[in-house]
Amino acid sequence: MELKQGSEMFQILNQDGEIVEGQQVPDLSDDELKDIYRWMLRIRTFDGRSIKLNRQGRLGFYAPMAGQEACQIASMAALRKSDMLYPSYRDVGTAMYHGLPMENVFLNSRGQITGMKTPEGVNAYPPQIIIAAHVLHAAGSGWAFRLREEDHVAIAFFGDGATSEGDFHEGLNFAAVYDANAIFFCQNNQYAISVPVHKQMRSETIAQKAIAYGMAGIRVDGNDPLAVYEVTKKAADRARKGEGPTLIEAVTYRVGPHTMAGDDPGRYRTKEEEEDWASKRDPLKRFRQYLDSKGLWTDEEEERVKEEVLNEMNEAIKKVEKAPKGTVAELIDDLYAETPALLKKQKDEYLSWKEGK
Amino acid sequence: MATMTLIQAINHALRVEMERDENVIVMGEDVGVNGGVFRATADLYQDFGEKRSFDTPLAESAIIGTAIGLANHGFRPVPEIQFAGFVYECMDQISTQAARIRMRSGGRFTAPITIRIPYGGGVKTPEMHSDSLEALFLHSPGVKVVVPSTPYDAKGLLISAIRDDDPVIFYEPMKLYRSIKADVPEEAYTVPLGKANVVREGSDVTLIAYGSMVHVAEKAAAQAEKERGVKAEVIDLRTISPFDLETIIGSVTKTHRAVIVHEAAQTGGVGAELSARIHEEAILSLEAPVERVTGFDTPYPLTAIEDEYLPTVDRICAGIYKTLDF
């Protein structure tokens, strides 16, 4: 496999979970293969239950990620915990895999203040809301690693819509100019809310944009975890060696709505299309077939993982429901290293107003 | 001590901080080999090398956005936005990203970057170069906004800004870059952020200004004294955010009148905020409503009428007399 520009899509596992002729399986132990699948299943289960929790009013903002499990997990599995992650709001799977506790995801979704806390040791920025803004942070972060001659990598996750933003272009250009240790991972999930990718751009592929920046670029089947792992690993190896950034276009599909805030994909895409991606190209189904062929996974394990996640979610949601919502005073405390006098005064006025209530 | 222009004092501040802390890096358009279009970063590239003084590609949002990423790993970037009119290009990266990352991460990540921006009128720049947009950032919680008016302050405030653990926008009045000279210590020193400076004591009216308008306000104070014997106190705000309300209220309760002077458009400007605070905190001390002498609520004009747009000594005097004759 070469990191080269072109419109062909790199694939190791075909839709039926079979090795594509001539392709090599990445150097992963059975346990590592199982762990990737286990995590994909974890976030698939997480996604389904989160949608329900949202409908019950127990979660707030939530952006479904079903269909994108191979993109989010197999890529992060190719990196180290010391690498720096810049996710977008749809990438809580990457963040949880990288160490962000499920509780934090819930707290954040529910708008509770401690959801803003990134725990020590978790090398992930809070999920980005402004499309493509974090492409620049990853470029700067990867540039810092290069300047310090450290072999860490910064990775940014974003969707196809982000590639229309100025920050995407500025970020890739800077990263290329400075040989930043950066990976730009585009999950081309076909839609930016309702706008299909062919109305988003006239380029045949997103990967080909890498040519314009003078960086490596590759188009990969985003529903093939082995292929996603392999290209991310190669991109990370290149970055660690100081060979510069890589743009990865992972071709995938957002099975659910854009967010749970009223988006109805039925208005802009067909049932047939959804069905085609959800059933025929499902990354979990494909990987499960591969693991089955090697005798690595059982239905019992499948059920056990699902049950574990649901129990974990149950515990976590109960815990965060009891956790404090937070106060404006805490918001003020975290804004500056030292709170300016006038802001302190606002805080005091707020606290005495609260006390008097 | 050495006699320095304001631009030399800025260059000196960058140099002493780069010598003190290897994490301090300078970045922006033309700041490297060329030493900046105004020469603020002159010789830093030659003396500290291209790993400390970067010429970036031409992209304002990326200059600030990548500085945030660099700051995330211990660097203290000092990015330059070449002219203030270009700041809209990076509004998101300043006000939504740099300003909020400490709060968004519960203190885990911070962005100690100092954004240097030449600004202000009176130097006949091309269209869209001179705008005074400081009020945008007064209204952006999480950033600090600093404007020096003298070479001494420029060096001391810039050193404070670079050492500050939060993002600071450092507005440099272009008109003052080479028009004033003063004694400036060779060594590093700080002028604290958030502390105003009473540059002229008086008892009849308080003039509040910043940047190049401090010098115009001082001239107006002298003229008002000559014309009507008025003793005007002149306050150089130095820091727009967080501003030093204590010094302002202290002065206004003494003089009972206030005139605020700035180049920026009037409505929703820094003067509006200061006026509101003075009315909130000291209304019973006031003998007249707070007066504002400012630019107009128009985009910054083409150069031929720049002098009409900017506050002048006469307009400030008229403002002073209005408060006296109320």
Side-chain angles (χ1 to χ4, degrees):
Chain A
M1 193 264 313
E2 263 182 87
L3 295 177
K4 61 182 179 188
Q5 297 91 9
S7 59
E8 74 263 42
M9 188 168 74
F10 178 67
Q11 200 180 44
I12 294 177
L13 282 183
N14 68 18
Q15 286 183 25
D16 300 321
E18 297 155 352
I19 305 294
V20 173
E21 202 184 322
Q23 292 298 348
Q24 293 282 317
V25 173
D27 185 19
L28 287 162
S29 69
D30 288 351
D31 280 348
E32 286 169 330
L33 287 169
K34 286 176 72 171
D35 197 55
I36 291 173
Y37 182 74
R38 192 173 67 83
W39 263 96
M40 286 170 61
L41 184 58
R42 273 177 66 81
I43 67 164
R44 171 68 58 91
T45 313
F46 176 89
D47 192 74
R49 179 55 66 91
S50 293
I51 288 169
K52 284 187 188 149
L53 289 170
N54 171 279
R55 287 186 179 136
Q56 292 165 8
R58 297 174 80 188
L59 278 186
F61 176 84
Y62 184 72
M65 56 190 168
Q68 300 182 210
E69 294 87 353
C71 289
Q72 297 199 17
I73 299 302
S75 56
M76 292 307 293
L79 301 179
R80 302 171 184 162
K81 291 289 176 209
S82 51
D83 293 330
M84 188 68 206
L85 165 67
Y86 294 87
S88 84
Y89 51 82
R90 199 182 304 289
D91 309 314
V92 294
T94 65
M96 285 194 289
Y97 184 87
H98 211 46
L100 189 73
M102 190 185 279
E103 251 174 74
N104 286 56
V105 178
F106 285 165
L107 286 164
N108 196 290
S109 168
R110 290 169 55 82
Q112 289 168 238
I113 198 152
T114 40
M116 293 189 134
K117 180 87 187 164
T118 307
E120 285 300 325
V122 179
N123 293 316
Y125 248 35
Q128 181 58 250
I129 306 296
I130 304 300
I131 305 294
H134 59 306
V135 170
L136 294 174
H137 307 157
S141 185
W143 179 9
F145 293 143
R146 185 92 315 270
L147 283 169
R148 295 206 189 281
E149 294 175 12
E150 293 172 343
D151 69 350
H152 304 308
V153 172
I155 187 167
F157 284 85
F158 48 89
D160 38 301
T163 67
S164 300
E165 286 275 8
D167 279 353
F168 165 80
H169 300 281
E170 294 189 18
L172 264 64
N173 188 44
F174 265 55
V177 166
Y178 296 114
D179 291 325
N181 293 12
I183 302 173
F184 302 103
F185 196 105
C186 177
Q187 295 171 89
N188 175 1
N189 68 11
Q190 312 302 322
Y191 290 89
I193 304 189
S194 66
V195 179
V197 73
H198 69 267
K199 285 190 180 171
Q200 193 70 234
M201 61 180 203
R202 281 294 164 97
S203 317
E204 193 185 338
T205 70
I206 289 166
Q208 76 191 54
K209 293 175 193 280
I211 301 168
Y213 303 107
M215 68 167 68
I218 186 158
R219 192 164 200 249
V220 63
D221 184 337
N223 288 6
D224 171 357
L226 296 182
V228 168
Y229 176 89
E230 185 68 11
V231 300
T232 314
K233 189 81 173 48
K234 278 261 158 63
D237 289 346
R238 293 187 65 251
R240 292 189 210 287
K241 283 189 279 185
E243 291 172 9
T246 303
L247 171 63
I248 296 172
E249 176 191 4
V251 179
T252 186
Y253 196 74
R254 181 239 301 155
V255 173
H258 166 66
T259 71
M260 294 305 296
D263 178 45
D264 171 16
R267 292 170 68 93
Y268 53 83
R269 62 190 197 191
T270 63
K271 281 275 166 234
E272 294 70 36
E273 179 189 294
E274 286 178 12
E275 187 52 25
D276 183 50
W277 281 93
S279 66
K280 290 195 198 140
R281 307 192 216 186
D282 181 12
L284 269 89
K285 195 170 144 194
R286 186 186 307 197
F287 200 31
R288 172 73 199 267
Q289 281 171 332
Y290 173 70
L291 293 183
D292 282 346
S293 74
K294 290 173 64 91
L296 287 176
W297 199 257
T298 62
D299 286 344
E300 290 72 39
E301 277 173 289
E302 184 100 359
E303 285 314 306
R304 194 167 61 239
V305 170
K306 283 186 194 169
E307 203 183 310
E308 272 170 16
V309 178
L310 292 174
N311 287 340
E312 219 178 299
M313 289 180 79
N314 211 17
E315 292 302 308
I317 195 77
K318 276 196 231 156
K319 201 170 160 193
V320 302
E321 278 171 341
K322 284 185 205 138
K325 285 182 186 169
T327 65
V328 171
E330 290 166 87
L331 203 61
I332 290 172
D333 288 342
D334 276 338
L335 191 58
Y336 293 93
E338 264 183 71
T339 305
L342 287 179
L343 197 51
K344 254 187 213 152
K345 195 175 159 235
Q346 277 190 10
K347 181 181 159 182
D348 292 344
E349 282 169 1
Y350 159 82
L351 287 173
S352 49
W353 167 78
K354 260 199 109 152
E355 219 167 275
K357 259 179 84 174
Chain B
M1 284 284 186
T3 304
M4 291 186 202
T5 60
L6 193 127
I7 196 85
Q8 285 168 333
I10 285 164
N11 181 260
H12 217 258
L14 292 169
R15 175 173 291 279
V16 293
E17 284 308 282
M18 287 174 86
E19 279 165 1
R20 186 187 64 84
D21 181 356
E22 62 175 17
N23 292 311
V24 176
I25 54 176
V26 163
M27 58 194 285
E29 295 156 15
D30 304 300
V31 302
V33 180
N34 197 33
V37 292
F38 292 103
R39 305 287 174 265
T41 55
D43 300 325
L44 300 178
Y45 173 89
Q46 287 76 6
D47 295 344
F48 293 94
E50 61 178 354
K51 283 195 163 186
R52 303 284 306 281
S53 180
F54 302 96
D55 277 325
T56 65
L58 201 163
E60 285 77 13
S61 185
I63 291 169
I64 306 305
T66 55
I68 294 167
L70 287 158
N72 195 24
H73 301 289
F75 284 105
R76 285 190 173 257
V78 187
E80 177 182 294
I81 298 301
Q82 203 158 51
F83 288 94
F86 311 163
V87 90
Y88 288 112
E89 299 276 354
C90 47
M91 277 302 292
D92 173 62
Q93 289 297 335
I94 298 175
S95 295
T96 313
Q97 307 299 331
R100 293 165 68 131
I101 189 59
R102 179 188 289 280
M103 187 202 74
R104 294 194 72 228
S105 64
R108 169 74 194 286
F109 301 112
T110 59
I113 62 180
T114 301
I115 305 166
R116 292 185 37 255
I117 313 177
Y119 94 107
V123 289
K124 312 269 193 241
T125 62
E127 197 188 1
M128 299 177 196
H129 282 58
S130 295
D131 302 47
S132 297
L133 303 174
E134 61 277 8
L136 297 177
F137 300 107
L138 171 65
H139 199 61
S140 297
V143 293
K144 296 179 180 176
V145 185
V146 175
V147 187
S149 70
T150 67
Y152 179 89
D153 278 6
K155 182 172 172 183
L157 287 167
L158 183 53
I159 291 174
S160 291
I162 292 169
R163 294 181 187 179
D164 197 276
D165 287 329
D166 290 312
V168 179
I169 298 170
F170 194 82
Y171 271 116
E172 298 165 4
M174 282 188 281
K175 188 171 171 59
L176 302 184
Y177 268 158
R178 291 188 171 78
S179 61
I180 50 170
K181 277 189 175 180
D183 284 344
V184 175
E186 298 273 357
E187 68 277 8
Y189 62 90
T190 57
V191 171
L193 305 187
K195 190 86 193 95
N197 188 23
V198 179
V199 295
R200 185 185 205 270
E201 300 226 2
S203 50
D204 300 329
V205 59
T206 299
L207 300 185
I208 305 161
Y210 50 90
S212 66
M213 284 299 122
V214 173
H215 303 279
V216 185
E218 281 186 277
K219 282 184 193 142
Q223 184 168 312
E225 184 165 20
K226 202 168 150 199
E227 286 176 356
R228 288 184 53 175
V230 179
K231 302 256 185 267
E233 181 146 298
V234 180
I235 294 176
D236 176 357
L237 201 57
R238 278 181 174 156
T239 305
I240 305 294
S241 179
F243 57 83
D244 180 1
L245 190 61
E246 201 184 336
T247 298
I248 293 167
I249 298 302
S251 177
V252 172
T253 50
K254 181 176 73 175
T255 65
H256 312 296
R257 293 174 180 85
V259 177
I260 302 158
V261 185
H262 61 61
E263 299 180 31
Q266 186 171 80
T267 302
V270 173
E273 178 60 31
L274 296 180
S275 172
R277 297 286 185 153
I278 293 167
H279 285 103
E280 279 170 13
E281 301 283 330
I283 192 157
L284 295 178
S285 302
L286 289 176
E287 295 286 349
V290 173
E291 191 62 26
R292 287 177 287 168
V293 181
T294 67
F296 296 90
D297 290 353
T298 68
Y300 196 85
L302 293 176
T303 52
I305 56 163
E306 215 173 46
D307 298 339
E308 288 255 312
Y309 179 87
L310 293 169
T312 57
V313 169
D314 285 343
R315 272 177 63 199
I316 297 170
C317 283
I320 293 169
Y321 302 151
K322 201 171 159 192
T323 66
L324 289 164
D325 301 337
F326 177 72

